[in-house]
Amino acid sequence: MGKNVVVVGGGPTGMWLACELRLAGVPTVVLEQDADIDQHSRALTVHPRTIETLALRGAHADLLAEGGRIPSGHFAVLDDRLDFRPLDTDFPFTLTIPQARTTELLQARAVALGADVRRGHRVTDCVVTGGGTDGAVADGAVTVSVQGPDGTYTLEAAYVVGCDGTRSLVREQAGIDFEGTRFTALGALGDVVLADPPSGPVTSEWTTEGTLMLVPLSGGRHRIALHSPEDLRTDWPGELTLEEFRARVRRIAGTDYGMHSPSWLSRYGNTSRLARHYRRGRFLLAGDAAHQHMPMGGVGLNVGVQDAMNLGWKLAAAFHGRAADALLDTYHYERHPVGADTIEHTQAQTALMAGFSPQGSALRSLLGKLIAEQPQLRNALAERLSGLSVKYPVPGGHHHPLTGYRAPNLRLSGTEYLFDLLEDGRPVLVDFARADGTGGSDTGGTDSTGTGARRYRCPRGGGQSRPAWTPVSAALIRPDGYVAWASDETGPAALSAAAGKAVAALHHPELERHHA
């Protein structure tokens, strides 16, 4: 088997995956064809669940310090924004921070953890050697051919992960289909200086002339994104000019805000595609290499980082020989539906946002009223947009209601919270029974399963600060912060036996199916 894991692509998804692999002691090489981080990036938004993801590793402070906080999000630029403040999270807001800066911060963390990050190194080929031509695991490896600044070379990798975007070479080399539809609607964006900017963190307009959103950036610039009836097309109209952009903004907003000095003008479309498989043997896909969609609501970066969080601990366990091959298959089973849901969500918003007809206007008005009048609908959309609603499928039919959901940052003692226990990337078995009235970590008894799980005995009076968690006597939290197992059982013997099975099944999901 190869001596390292090769991550192809140095954006936020690839860098966070490298962070996770290095945290688990996996030799990791990141290969990125661009010599420098692209300063022109559509992604500006970091959603609540992504902030939680970074907080699970104590890696969120810099983003919080630099990003602008917006306590709401939009659904198809409807007038009534989705309020994040009622959400059950420590971070009920989105952060506005350029993707380039997010990439810089995650790359710095990856390098500090020991990742070998090589910019200006282009992968030209990936060939499985041994283990079958289809990428089967067995005893094989992947030979990665690279064109670097000083010439060509090869790497032998145990696994190759494609985080290399919608035109992924890794996906092509793995023979994975990228299925979906071509664009039927376009958008335009510009990063410009405004002589007369509006006040407030976000400005949005929807009229029959088009849709516009305006967000302030650092350095005195603003980003404007717009869609208008002329964008409902299947041909590409060519390069976007400042003159065209200024005229279209003026038609929608009644002013061009005195825009000048553009640093970036671009078009984008609602092409939507999904990889048929997220894993094929020793090849895996994450981020835009696995799913492509309209950049609606800024979800792309967030879904990619959460792909990496799901994959990282599983790939590390497989690399170190602690996990059965079936654990890597769960990456596809858990994240592929999220990719499909993201495409559905963004396409639905595209249809609403581009409904410039009287009928489309009526639909927007009706849905806006329902969102304003129905808190349950409003909160459901907010949870979906924020990434907090994701639930992973659980095999078998008899499981605790919390299994498969993310665990909130439960307060376990006066000074310690659940997220603190997950910073080293290990699973945590939390004992809420508090039989002896003491608290603290205890690794004894669980390492024999090979999971490296720690036990935490919650001190009396600590623990379940949420109603859904009140009856829980014990819970096993995965390294990515999702509930692998929970129980309301109070009998010590039965609880201990069930917990032991759950910990053993964490890296061997076939045991879970057997017990079910």
Side-chain angles (χ1 to χ4, degrees):
M1 190 169 78
K3 296 181 179 180
N4 53 49
V5 170
V6 169
V7 177
V8 183
T13 299
M15 289 305 173
W16 187 248
L17 179 59
C19 290
E20 286 295 283
L21 292 172
R22 284 303 306 144
L23 187 65
V26 176
T28 305
V29 180
V30 180
L31 301 172
E32 166 55 54
Q33 64 180 359
D34 294 334
D36 300 304
I37 296 174
D38 185 2
Q39 298 300 308
H40 296 151
S41 51
R42 294 192 178 97
L44 281 177
T45 306
V46 180
H47 285 152
R49 180 53 189 169
T50 305
I51 306 173
E52 283 191 347
T53 296
L54 303 182
L56 288 167
R57 302 293 184 260
H60 60 307
D62 288 337
L63 266 78
L64 289 179
E66 296 186 26
R69 302 187 185 191
I70 302 176
S72 62
H74 77 87
F75 186 82
V77 200
L78 293 174
D79 290 339
D80 290 286
R81 291 179 64 83
L82 304 176
D83 190 356
F84 288 164
R85 287 171 295 185
L87 299 179
D88 184 17
T89 176
D90 290 354
F91 311 104
F93 48 81
T94 60
L95 292 176
T96 56
I97 183 169
Q99 177 176 317
R101 182 55 180 153
T102 301
T103 302
E104 290 172 357
L105 292 172
L106 298 186
Q107 177 174 298
R109 175 178 169 85
V111 171
L113 287 168
D116 183 357
V117 176
R118 306 180 186 181
R119 287 197 166 271
H121 292 246
R122 181 173 63 90
V123 174
T124 59
D125 199 15
C126 302
V127 179
V128 176
T129 54
T133 58
D134 64 348
V137 176
D139 295 321
V142 183
T143 299
V144 181
S145 300
V146 186
Q147 176 67 54
D150 299 322
T152 61
Y153 63 94
T154 61
L155 295 171
E156 294 298 315
Y159 297 93
V160 174
V161 187
C163 303
D164 50 341
T166 58
R167 296 181 175 86
S168 171
L169 175 71
V170 175
R171 187 184 62 238
E172 177 184 330
Q173 295 284 289
I176 298 174
D177 292 335
F178 202 37
E179 303 164 325
T181 58
R182 279 177 47 81
F183 67 87
T184 57
L186 298 179
L189 68 79
D191 291 347
V192 294
V193 178
L194 302 182
D196 185 23
S199 60
V202 178
T203 298
S204 62
E205 296 277 351
W206 187 94
T207 73
T208 55
E209 294 291 338
T211 305
L212 177 147
M213 290 196 70
L214 187 153
V215 180
L217 304 175
S218 60
R221 293 188 173 273
H222 285 75
R223 170 163 296 180
I224 301 176
L226 62 82
H227 308 263
S228 52
E230 64 215 69
D231 286 325
L232 302 179
R233 59 198 299 168
T234 57
D235 64 309
W236 198 262
E239 184 178 351
L240 180 66
T241 66
L242 179 61
E243 291 71 24
E244 177 193 342
F245 193 62
R246 179 184 286 125
R248 293 176 65 182
V249 170
R250 190 181 297 119
R251 285 201 303 271
I252 297 170
T255 176
D256 63 14
Y257 303 103
M259 71 170 67
H260 61 91
S261 306
S263 57
W264 191 35
L265 296 169
S266 178
R267 301 187 198 270
Y268 54 93
N270 70 327
T271 297
S272 296
R273 295 192 175 98
L274 184 65
R276 179 176 292 183
H277 306 288
Y278 280 21
R279 182 208 178 188
R280 188 166 188 249
R282 294 189 176 275
F283 297 102
L284 299 112
L285 305 175
D288 291 347
H291 37 76
Q292 179 181 4
H293 46 81
M294 189 74 148
M296 191 69 63
V299 296
L301 178 153
N302 297 274
V303 176
V305 169
Q306 291 158 40
D307 286 345
M309 189 66 160
N310 184 289
L311 176 59
W313 67 276
K314 297 174 180 179
L315 189 53
F319 180 90
H320 289 307
R322 297 194 305 263
D325 187 61
L327 182 63
L328 282 180
D329 290 334
T330 68
Y331 170 62
H332 170 85
Y333 298 142
E334 292 181 350
R335 293 304 298 177
H336 189 270
V338 176
D341 185 73
T342 300
I343 289 174
E344 179 184 64
H345 197 245
T346 53
Q347 288 286 56
Q349 289 189 71
T350 302
L352 271 172
M353 192 177 59
F356 300 115
S357 67
Q359 295 82 7
S361 179
L363 178 60
R364 289 178 58 86
S365 177
L366 175 60
L367 184 57
K369 291 175 182 176
L370 290 174
I371 291 173
E373 296 168 0
Q374 302 294 328
Q376 187 174 3
L377 174 59
R378 183 172 61 248
N379 292 340
L381 289 173
E383 286 186 345
R384 182 182 292 266
L385 178 62
S386 66
L388 299 173
S389 67
V390 171
K391 179 184 184 297
Y392 293 140
V394 182
H398 303 287
H399 290 279
H400 193 279
L402 292 175
T403 307
Y405 284 100
R406 54 173 273 279
N409 193 17
L410 299 170
R411 182 174 181 174
L412 302 177
S413 69
T415 59
E416 198 156 30
Y417 289 78
L418 178 61
F419 285 10
D420 299 331
L421 303 182
L422 292 161
E423 287 192 5
D424 61 2
R426 297 163 57 193
V428 177
L429 179 62
V430 183
D431 175 11
F432 293 107
R434 304 183 297 274
D436 58 4
T438 63
S441 295
D442 174 15
T443 58
T446 58
D447 281 339
S448 62
T449 66
T451 66
R454 75 166 68 189
R455 281 185 175 146
Y456 183 89
R457 299 188 307 279
C458 194
R460 190 177 303 279
Q464 305 97 313
S465 54
R466 270 78 167 179
W469 286 79
T470 300
V472 176
S473 53
L476 177 62
I477 312 301
R478 303 182 345 175
D480 57 2
Y482 284 81
V483 181
W485 167 86
S487 177
D488 300 340
E489 173 67 54
T490 57
L495 185 61
S496 178
K501 290 179 180 179
V503 173
L506 187 62
H507 286 168
H508 297 269
E510 71 279 6
L511 295 179
E512 175 69 21
R513 289 192 293 271
H514 174 73
H515 292 314

